[in-house]
Amino acid sequence: MIARMVLNGRSRQVDVRPEHTLLETLRDTLGIFDVKEGCGEGVCGACTVLLDGRPVSSCLVLAPAVRGRAVTTLRGLERDGGLHPLQEAFVRHGAVQCGFCTPGMLLTALAFLEREPRPDREAIRAALEGNLCRCTGYTKIVDAVEAYARDRGHG
Ligand code: FES
Ligand code: FES
């Protein structure tokens, strides 16, 4: 089935298999490997993408359901081919170790900051609790999100 979607800001026609998840379509059909596959059952958040601006676990969304909708992956955050300022904050604060959780973490954080531009640390932690990180202990991730919000004039 051919479905049209807006993928990282560009309208695309995508050959979608009805039984495929959005995660499978992104990685296996389109070769978008910045979307990570972790648990495959909605627990880890590694596969997070933005669907019409809201974070979803792409392993839980059937691909045909995104017809006509906007999907954003990490790639969609690039600015003129460079890193997004939140990515830069993650690097500056040592919030990336293995990096497996990072794409989903960044997308969840950005959607959260849209809703709540002046969060305290507790709120940031709560917003990110669906995105599991085995490496960093979260402190540096919260540092990075907090610094980004502050530097953007939100804090
Ligand atoms: S791979 Fe989708 S939530 Fe873990
Ligand atoms: S940096 Fe390794 S899982 Fe988060």
Side-chain angles (χ1 to χ4, degrees):
M1 153 195 322
I2 300 294
R4 183 170 284 283
M5 64 180 82
V6 178
L7 184 56
N8 290 331
R10 290 194 185 160
S11 182
R12 295 268 306 256
Q13 280 195 335
V14 181
D15 191 5
V16 160
R17 292 222 207 135
E19 75 280 13
H20 269 188
T21 64
L22 176 58
L23 175 63
E24 288 169 316
T25 299
L26 290 170
R27 287 181 60 91
D28 302 342
T29 305
L30 297 171
I32 298 182
F33 296 115
D34 57 82
V35 185
K36 301 300 177 197
E37 178 167 13
C39 64
E41 52 190 33
V43 175
C44 72
C47 67
T48 300
V49 301
L50 301 183
L51 186 57
D52 295 334
R54 296 193 177 178
V56 296
S57 295
S58 60
C59 69
L60 295 183
V61 176
L62 280 174
V66 305
R67 215 181 322 181
R69 303 177 73 183
V71 176
T72 304
T73 73
L74 183 67
R75 224 179 255 198
L77 301 183
E78 282 180 4
R79 300 278 174 86
D80 302 322
L83 294 181
H84 185 281
L86 182 58
Q87 287 176 291
E88 289 173 352
F90 267 55
V91 173
R92 228 179 14 255
H93 288 270
V96 182
Q97 288 189 27
C98 80
F100 200 76
C101 69
T102 309
M105 201 68 86
L106 289 162
L107 290 165
T108 299
L110 285 171
F112 165 65
L113 291 173
E114 282 288 312
R115 293 195 313 276
E116 197 169 327
R118 299 166 188 268
D120 61 20
R121 292 182 68 84
E122 280 311 301
I124 295 170
R125 252 178 204 279
L128 298 177
E129 67 189 5
N131 292 77
L132 305 185
C133 177
R134 292 166 195 263
C135 307
T136 64
Y138 289 90
T139 300
K140 292 175 177 179
I141 291 174
V142 175
D143 289 347
V145 174
E146 190 179 38
Y148 167 78
R150 188 187 55 233
D151 294 349
R152 303 289 285 177
H154 294 315

